[in-house]
Amino acid sequence: MSKVIVSSLYDSDVFRMACRQFDKAADAINLPDAIRDRTKYPRRCLAVALPVRRADGSVTVFEGYRVQHNLSTGPSKGGIRFHQDVTIGEVAALAMWMSWKCSLVGLPYGGAKGGVIVDPSRLSESELEHLSRRYMQEMVNFVGPHTDVPAPDVGTNEKIMGWMMDTYSNHVGHVVPGVVTGKPIALGGSQGRREATGAGVAYLVRKYLEDLRIPIGDATVAIQGFGNVGSETAVALANYGAKIIAISDYTGGIFNPRGLDIRKAVTYVRTQKVLHNFDGGEPISNETLLELECTVLVPAALERVITKKNASRLRCRLLAEAANGPTTNEADKILEQRDDLELIPDVLCNSGGVIVSYFEWLQNLSNYYWSIEEVMTKLQATLDKAKDSVDYQKRKFKFSRRLAALTLGIQRVADAKESRGLFP
Ligand code: NAD
């Protein structure tokens, strides 16, 4: 019965995709029926209407959500997405993946996610601030440093996290930096948080290339999405000596087989907001970028871009899933058959973001702040441990790397639920 109610609320392609991934992993570890649905479905959600006065005096009401998937091992954790295509089903799927990710890398967090249906590029700075503050005002009783800790995701950034932290702190009457992570450093943000997701992706790419005995200096890289994650991944991989041959954003891509000047691209996007007309190479479409011949392909934009149509046409050696959910289940089946392609699954690949968010939260709770060296050393040690456990699980059970990562994450959440028992 509960199955029908819950799945109809969240029903969407992406939620069904997350559920099918869960079912496959639960079958692989023989998760008992009594614990399955409790582990699978989101615990609770909140939908809110957000009225914002526009620059012309009119009022627009935006719709926002927060889904808390699991709170068994600590507060839930997950970003807030501002995008015109957000649905509650997408937010629920992203919250599920956050649970498996936090559990996989050993953080004492459950998973959550938030979203607002809005194209932030169409709002003025002050409209964006009002929307962000109104969202947090509506969430005041639903989030908190010991309940649920938001962070940036697509369309949100550290400035927005700063407004949200200020709104929450004003409400409770004292400064609460630990209510969100990914804040400006001046407000208790962590050294390295802005770079963390991309730095983690690049670090894991380097490690997997070492396993494949491919010198990073010989590697060519194509990256879809040039926001926080895509651009920081590009910068870190270029610093390691890799050649970035293609980048893109929602306006299209740029390709240069001799290598792109990533610093120039970052500066260009900082001023122009988009890559459109960046003159470092030839224009290409996002679809073509995914099928370029390269050593490493990094989808770092939205979900479900690698499908049954293009999965057999990917020409990379390593697919590093910086985005959440970039590969459909149908595509995944095709990739599993391909011996010529290694995959770093999203829950491992982009976990650097939530790992450093955890470090930020620890620093906020203790009021003791770490150096960038300390943050990066601990990030790399955490990623090394997670990578080793995934690869061990993969070898031991002859799983795909995605199945290995998901089974580890899911098993630990299920174990925690089992140990807590069922209330009442
Ligand atoms: P962002 O908003 O900073 O950047 C998103 C980028 O994707 C932009 O360059 C945008 O133009 C591009 N994009 C949007 N639609 C596109 C399309 N249809 N085709 C091609 N490009 C498109 O977001 P982000 O924080 O970099 O997040 C990117 C991905 O990484 C998301 O899947 C997010 O969930 C995931 N992620 C983010 C973090 C984080 O710390 N920000 C952590 C883990 C995972």
Side-chain angles (χ1 to χ4, degrees):
M1 188 66 177
S2 69
K3 230 177 208 169
V4 176
I5 295 167
V6 176
S7 60
S8 65
L9 173 61
Y10 300 121
D11 193 35
S12 59
D13 285 344
V14 64
F15 185 67
R16 267 178 264 132
M17 169 180 158
C19 287
R20 277 203 298 273
Q21 284 182 353
F22 173 89
D23 292 339
K24 188 175 171 186
D27 286 346
I29 51 175
N30 294 319
L31 203 62
D33 280 345
I35 201 78
R36 263 192 200 220
D37 286 358
R38 282 176 70 197
T39 307
K40 178 176 179 179
Y41 289 116
R43 164 102 174 248
R44 58 193 184 188
C45 67
L46 185 63
V48 292
L50 306 164
V52 172
R53 191 173 303 286
R54 309 300 296 270
D56 65 4
S58 65
V59 174
T60 307
V61 180
F62 297 93
E63 191 165 311
Y65 312 108
R66 184 83 186 160
V67 176
Q68 294 169 357
H69 176 262
N70 157 42
L71 294 121
S72 296
T73 49
S76 52
K77 189 88 193 74
I80 299 172
R81 179 170 293 194
F82 282 4
H83 193 273
Q84 58 276 17
D85 297 333
V86 160
T87 65
I88 194 166
E90 179 190 47
V91 175
L94 290 162
M96 276 173 91
W97 289 325
M98 281 306 295
S99 285
W100 319 145
K101 188 186 306 177
C102 292
S103 160
L104 169 66
V105 298
L107 306 182
Y109 284 146
K113 208 80 181 191
V116 177
I117 308 170
V118 60
D119 178 353
S121 69
R122 300 177 83 96
L123 299 186
S124 69
E125 173 97 348
S126 119
E127 291 167 342
L128 186 63
E129 178 174 355
H130 289 150
L131 178 65
S132 307
R133 288 184 178 279
R134 188 67 190 229
Y135 178 87
M136 179 47 96
Q137 181 61 45
E138 292 298 334
M139 293 292 150
V140 156
N141 294 315
F142 201 56
V143 302
H146 300 289
T147 324
D148 179 13
V149 186
D153 189 73
V154 174
T156 56
N157 53 29
E158 47 185 72
K159 187 185 264 184
I160 291 176
M161 293 306 117
W163 291 327
M164 289 189 175
M165 174 271 197
D166 180 69
T167 304
Y168 185 90
S169 298
N170 274 315
H171 183 89
V172 299
H174 56 91
V175 176
V176 188
V179 67
V180 292
T181 57
K183 301 174 292 292
I185 291 190
L187 296 180
S190 178
Q191 299 287 341
R193 174 60 186 91
R194 191 189 307 158
E195 303 90 313
T197 312
V201 172
Y203 181 75
L204 288 168
V205 163
R206 198 181 78 180
K207 287 272 161 182
Y208 277 104
L209 288 179
E210 276 169 23
D211 292 352
L212 291 166
R213 299 185 198 293
I214 299 174
I216 192 128
D218 293 348
T220 55
V221 183
I223 303 177
Q224 182 189 62
F226 204 67
N228 171 284
V229 178
S231 66
E232 293 295 349
T233 302
V235 168
L237 283 173
N239 286 343
Y240 285 149
K243 193 198 286 180
I244 317 298
I245 58 167
I247 54 176
S248 72
D249 66 11
Y250 75 90
T251 64
I254 314 285
F255 170 58
N256 186 339
R258 291 186 306 281
L260 292 158
D261 184 337
I262 291 304
R263 295 208 171 277
K264 216 169 129 193
V266 168
T267 309
Y268 184 86
V269 169
R270 201 171 292 141
T271 53
Q272 303 297 314
K273 308 289 177 219
V274 287
L275 274 172
H276 186 62
N277 281 341
F278 177 62
D279 66 1
E282 298 297 313
I284 51 161
S285 70
N286 268 292
E287 293 71 33
T288 314
L289 179 145
L290 293 174
E291 296 178 21
L292 282 175
E293 187 171 353
C294 57
T295 319
V296 187
L297 175 65
V298 185
L302 299 176
E303 301 91 59
R304 299 171 62 78
V305 292
I306 296 167
T307 63
K308 65 179 177 203
K309 280 198 189 128
N310 61 9
S312 55
R313 297 206 293 260
L314 302 189
R315 289 188 291 160
C316 57
R317 184 72 185 90
L318 183 62
L319 173 60
E321 292 185 334
N324 286 305
T327 306
T328 66
N329 296 336
E330 294 79 13
D332 211 30
K333 273 193 200 139
I334 297 170
L335 298 183
E336 278 176 14
Q337 305 302 317
R338 287 189 55 175
D339 297 338
D340 59 333
L341 189 150
E342 292 292 321
L343 171 87
I344 315 178
D346 50 3
V347 287
L348 173 64
C349 191
N350 66 35
S351 62
V354 73
I355 293 168
V356 178
S357 272
Y358 170 60
F359 297 162
E360 181 172 326
W361 179 77
L362 288 179
Q363 293 170 71
N364 295 152
L365 294 186
S366 63
N367 253 316
Y368 177 77
Y369 287 86
W370 309 356
S371 67
I372 181 78
E373 291 76 21
E374 191 170 0
V375 169
M376 288 301 163
T377 305
K378 289 190 160 116
L379 168 64
Q380 294 181 357
T382 312
L383 289 173
D384 282 339
K385 202 167 151 215
K387 174 183 183 288
D388 288 349
S389 65
V390 168
D391 289 341
Y392 179 73
Q393 177 93 340
K394 177 180 185 293
R395 278 194 306 275
K396 186 171 171 196
F397 296 104
K398 298 196 171 22
F399 286 165
S400 70
R401 194 170 286 111
R402 186 188 312 286
L403 191 60
L406 288 175
T407 49
L408 282 172
I410 289 168
Q411 183 75 63
R412 289 179 194 158
V413 174
D415 287 350
K417 286 191 181 284
E418 186 81 66
S419 305
R420 284 189 64 159
L422 186 55
F423 177 85

